[in-house]
Amino acid sequence: MFKRKEQAIRDLIMRNLRTQGLETPLLQKRLIEAWPAVAGEAIARYTTDVRIYNQTLCVRLSVPALRADLSMRRQEFVSRLNEYVGNQVIADIRFN
């Protein structure tokens, strides 16, 4: 009888995505979709666009006063978003 090396399906899928170069885009998409959940409903209501450029999350807001408030909490959002996704996807956030 032989022994089987059991692995979780999640690990196999992520390894396959990594070898094909698709892991980073998938994690970036998850992070963008996580913005409303992490930021909260009130902030998400004033968010018009969310994109990632060079490990920087660019969040476009419709209220300038909110931009100043969120800029002071930038590192908090970076750590919460990366934790939500489970990987280091972004290094900074820019509010426009």
Side-chain angles (χ1 to χ4, degrees):
M1 190 172 246
F2 59 92
K3 288 186 177 182
R4 295 182 185 193
K5 184 179 176 186
E6 296 178 9
Q7 295 179 346
I9 293 205
R10 182 185 195 290
D11 295 337
L12 292 172
I13 291 173
M14 291 307 285
R15 185 175 345 133
N16 189 21
L17 289 172
R18 190 175 303 121
T19 58
Q20 294 180 12
L22 298 174
E23 181 183 32
T24 301
L26 176 66
L27 292 173
Q28 288 177 347
K29 180 172 177 15
R30 284 184 186 165
L31 190 129
I32 289 171
E33 290 175 351
W35 172 252
V38 172
E41 185 179 322
I43 295 171
R45 187 178 324 133
Y46 298 110
T47 302
T48 59
D49 190 27
V50 180
R51 296 177 187 252
I52 296 178
Y53 297 109
N54 297 329
Q55 291 188 327
T56 301
L57 183 69
C58 298
V59 180
R60 185 169 296 232
L61 301 168
S62 60
V63 178
L66 186 60
R67 186 179 320 141
D69 182 45
L70 294 179
S71 291
M72 290 185 277
R73 298 173 41 197
R74 181 177 12 190
Q75 283 308 113
E76 174 189 345
F77 283 116
V78 169
S79 62
R80 286 175 53 195
L81 284 164
N82 284 329
E83 182 179 319
Y84 189 92
V85 174
N87 208 332
Q88 179 72 28
V89 179
I90 60 170
D92 196 16
I93 297 180
R94 183 182 312 153
F95 297 101
N96 298 326

